[in-house]
Amino acid sequence: MQETFLRDGDKAKLTEIKDSGWSILSDPRKHRSGGGIAMVYRSSIELKPNTKVTKFKSFQVMESLLSAESELLRLVNIYRPPYTKKARYTECDFLKEFEEYLKILCAKPGNPLLTGDFNFHVERPDEHYPKKFLDLLAQYNLRQHVPIVPTHDQGGTLDLVISTQSLENKISNFNIVQSRTSSDHFLVLFDVDTRLSKNDNGKFLSYRNFKSIDIEIFKDDLRNSNLSTIDPILTAEEATSLYNSVLTQLMDKHCPVIKKKFRKKPMPWLDLDLSLLRQKRRAAERAWRKGKGTRKDYIDLRDRFVSLEFVKRCSYNKESLRASAGDSKALYKKLNRLLGNETQDLPKHQDPGKLSEDFKDFFAEKVNKIRKDIELDASKNVPEETLAPSGEPDYVSTLDTFSPISAEDLRKLVKMMSNKFCCLDPIPSFLLK
């Protein structure tokens, strides 16, 4: 996608795209309005963006890697703006920089597939600059695949698909669709015959079905376990370890962990009315493209779907924010997600283990410093009559004895506990009660 007109601060627009089940890699134009390129793809597909692409003055370029079962594809998106007073770069400037880029591209791993708005009239192969452009592609064993038909409302084949000869037989079914938006360029559709690598990096949810536990059988197993005859000479650490291990084994027997693939619903506001309208819209579009229906019927259904989807999305987000009115943390979390301000950035690192150790050391040192400052302030405020001859305070506070607790007191404390628990607990609180 070229000429996105997106800017660095348009995070809310990117969030809207992601909420619809798509992912986007966006490279907006930095120093002036307009321009910008992006790759929009299904969230089920994994693209690896290349963030170290050489920048050029006469055109924008972005790259990403797509893993297929038999090959590695390097997807390249290019936009060359035409010569204007603000962008004074001629066809000659572009050809020099584009040749430099092709030298770099050919040295990289992955089979390149270049697409984009080149603003070169390749339908005129005998003219000077189109001829030099096509000769440059031939020099690097590249071929342009888009049929010589207009891809712009003013005429001219300006939007191109370029690949190596090894991909030539895999690219087919070109369809140039006239724009149904304010864009002056047409949509170029085509197929690439390749099988994507299976992506097993989906999110999984682990849980236990506590309703399946037979409480009486669980109690019998608990009475017959090692917890019923604990050796009184065990240390606190040994007793805790025994408690955790026995209860974990019993939970795995009576209520094993279930692992289920978790798929987030991309459009939670998609109800039955909206689904039916989307089906009608798709059917009208297929009928129009096959010549069995009218374009007007499709446009009417498309506009109705867009309008209704907007209303339901707004209603869903309003209700979601209203439901968090009493929880400021949840409210700001939802608000930041809608505005695209979610950040989970970590400091630059190469070893995650070392990074976690650095975090631990940083906060440990911070706590030690706070403690030393407190002790220093306390020693300054100690009355002189409480000081020992050495100058130190004549008292020491220690916690070295504990009062024994009765079984009845412990039972009361357990009963008063909240039913909340986490995955690290060997047994849920409600079952312990």
Side-chain angles (χ1 to χ4, degrees):
M1 186 180 296
Q2 301 80 39
E3 292 188 275
T4 61
F5 282 63
L6 290 174
R7 298 182 180 181
D8 280 331
D10 292 337
K11 296 179 181 179
K13 294 180 181 178
L14 301 183
T15 301
E16 285 188 36
I17 294 174
K18 294 176 182 178
D19 283 345
S20 299
W22 299 86
S23 294
I24 181 170
L25 301 176
S26 177
D27 183 15
R29 182 182 283 174
K30 304 294 183 183
H31 306 297
R32 55 193 176 91
S33 61
I37 53 179
M39 294 185 181
V40 181
Y41 56 98
R42 281 292 183 191
S43 299
S44 57
I45 299 175
E46 185 176 2
L47 284 187
K48 183 179 180 182
N50 180 11
T51 58
K52 298 181 179 179
V53 181
T54 305
K55 301 297 182 182
F56 297 94
K57 295 181 178 180
S58 62
F59 66 98
Q60 275 188 278
V61 60
M62 66 185 302
E63 298 178 2
S64 65
L65 290 173
L66 177 63
S67 296
E69 288 187 354
S70 59
E71 60 190 339
L72 180 67
L73 294 178
R74 184 173 293 271
L75 307 180
V76 182
N77 188 6
I78 290 178
Y79 170 58
R80 185 189 83 84
Y83 181 90
T84 62
K85 292 182 179 179
K86 294 183 178 180
R88 297 176 179 271
Y89 300 105
T90 63
E91 290 89 341
C92 184
D93 296 327
F94 167 74
L95 289 174
K96 290 179 180 178
E97 290 193 337
F98 189 57
E99 182 176 9
E100 180 183 346
Y101 173 68
L102 290 180
K103 291 179 182 178
I104 300 172
L105 181 65
C106 291
K108 294 179 179 180
N111 208 345
L113 177 62
L114 296 82
T115 63
D117 176 10
F118 287 79
N119 276 306
F120 260 89
H121 287 269
V122 295
E123 79 280 4
R124 308 171 189 169
D126 295 330
E127 292 188 1
H128 179 69
Y129 286 114
K131 185 177 185 302
K132 293 193 68 174
F133 175 73
L134 295 174
D135 289 343
L136 181 61
L137 296 181
Q139 180 182 339
Y140 286 89
N141 295 320
L142 299 173
R143 181 170 180 259
Q144 198 286 117
H145 299 277
V146 177
I148 304 302
V149 295
T151 63
H152 191 274
D153 59 9
Q154 299 297 320
T157 308
L158 309 179
D159 303 275
L160 311 178
V161 175
I162 300 169
S163 76
T164 57
Q165 292 181 354
S166 59
L167 280 178
E168 183 174 349
N169 295 329
K170 297 182 178 181
I171 300 176
S172 60
N173 297 333
F174 275 88
N175 185 18
I176 313 301
V177 182
Q178 292 188 6
S179 175
R180 299 185 295 273
T181 66
S182 58
S183 174
D184 52 1
H185 285 261
F186 300 161
L187 179 63
V188 179
L189 299 173
F190 63 98
D191 294 334
V192 179
D193 184 15
T194 187
R195 187 180 295 274
L196 300 181
S197 300
K198 292 183 179 179
N199 182 15
D200 294 329
N201 296 328
K203 294 183 179 180
F204 287 87
L205 181 67
S206 298
Y207 66 97
R208 297 180 187 269
N209 184 12
F210 297 116
K211 294 182 179 179
S212 65
I213 299 178
D214 189 315
I215 301 297
E216 296 304 322
I217 298 178
F218 183 84
K219 287 180 179 180
D220 290 339
D221 286 346
L222 188 59
R223 294 188 191 100
N224 297 326
S225 70
N226 293 334
L227 289 180
S228 61
T229 56
I230 297 180
D231 193 336
I233 66 172
L234 288 178
T235 64
E237 290 81 5
E238 292 171 341
T240 303
S241 177
L242 179 64
Y243 172 85
N244 289 333
S245 62
V246 171
L247 288 180
T248 301
Q249 290 173 6
L250 289 178
M251 291 299 294
D252 289 339
K253 175 184 177 181
H254 293 271
C255 184
V257 175
I258 301 173
K259 193 174 183 181
K260 184 177 181 181
K261 194 166 185 179
F262 177 76
R263 183 177 179 182
K264 184 179 178 182
K265 190 176 180 181
M267 296 172 62
W269 54 85
L270 184 64
D271 56 11
L272 181 60
D273 293 338
L274 202 56
S275 297
L276 292 175
L277 187 57
R278 184 171 65 175
Q279 292 176 7
K280 293 180 180 179
R281 183 203 65 184
R282 289 175 174 173
E285 183 179 10
R286 288 193 295 268
W288 165 53
R289 296 193 185 283
K290 293 179 180 179
K292 298 179 181 180
T294 64
R295 184 173 184 270
K296 183 180 181 302
D297 292 339
Y298 162 65
I299 295 298
D300 290 342
L301 287 170
R302 183 200 67 184
D303 293 343
R304 283 175 55 193
F305 176 82
V306 170
S307 177
L308 184 60
E309 192 271 341
F310 176 79
V311 171
K312 291 186 177 292
R313 172 156 46 90
C314 290
S315 177
Y316 170 83
N317 289 325
K318 286 179 181 178
E319 290 298 325
S320 178
L321 293 175
R322 191 177 292 113
S324 302
D327 188 345
S328 58
K329 183 178 179 180
L331 179 63
Y332 278 100
K333 184 177 180 180
K334 292 178 180 178
L335 192 59
N336 284 329
R337 190 194 66 80
L338 289 174
L339 297 176
N341 293 331
E342 289 182 303
T343 56
Q344 298 180 350
D345 295 335
L346 292 174
K348 291 183 179 180
H349 65 283
Q350 295 181 344
D351 184 3
K354 184 178 182 304
L355 180 64
S356 61
E357 290 294 326
D358 291 341
F359 270 115
K360 182 198 70 174
D361 295 340
F362 170 79
F363 286 105
E365 292 174 4
K366 190 173 183 179
V367 171
N368 290 334
K369 183 178 181 302
I370 293 173
R371 285 177 175 170
K372 289 179 180 179
D373 291 342
I374 293 174
E375 292 173 358
L376 181 61
D377 291 341
S379 63
K380 290 179 180 179
N381 298 324
V382 174
E384 293 184 4
E385 59 269 17
T386 63
L387 294 177
S390 62
E392 296 294 328
D394 193 18
Y395 59 85
V396 178
S397 297
T398 60
L399 188 64
D400 52 6
T401 58
F402 298 89
S403 300
I405 184 172
S406 65
E408 184 60 28
D409 290 338
L410 179 59
R411 188 178 292 107
K412 288 180 180 179
L413 289 174
V414 172
K415 290 291 185 182
M416 292 169 59
M417 288 172 53
S418 169
N419 282 335
K420 293 181 179 179
F421 64 96
C422 79
C423 59
L424 299 178
D425 295 329
I427 186 173
S429 304
F430 66 86
L431 189 59
L432 181 63
K433 293 178 181 182

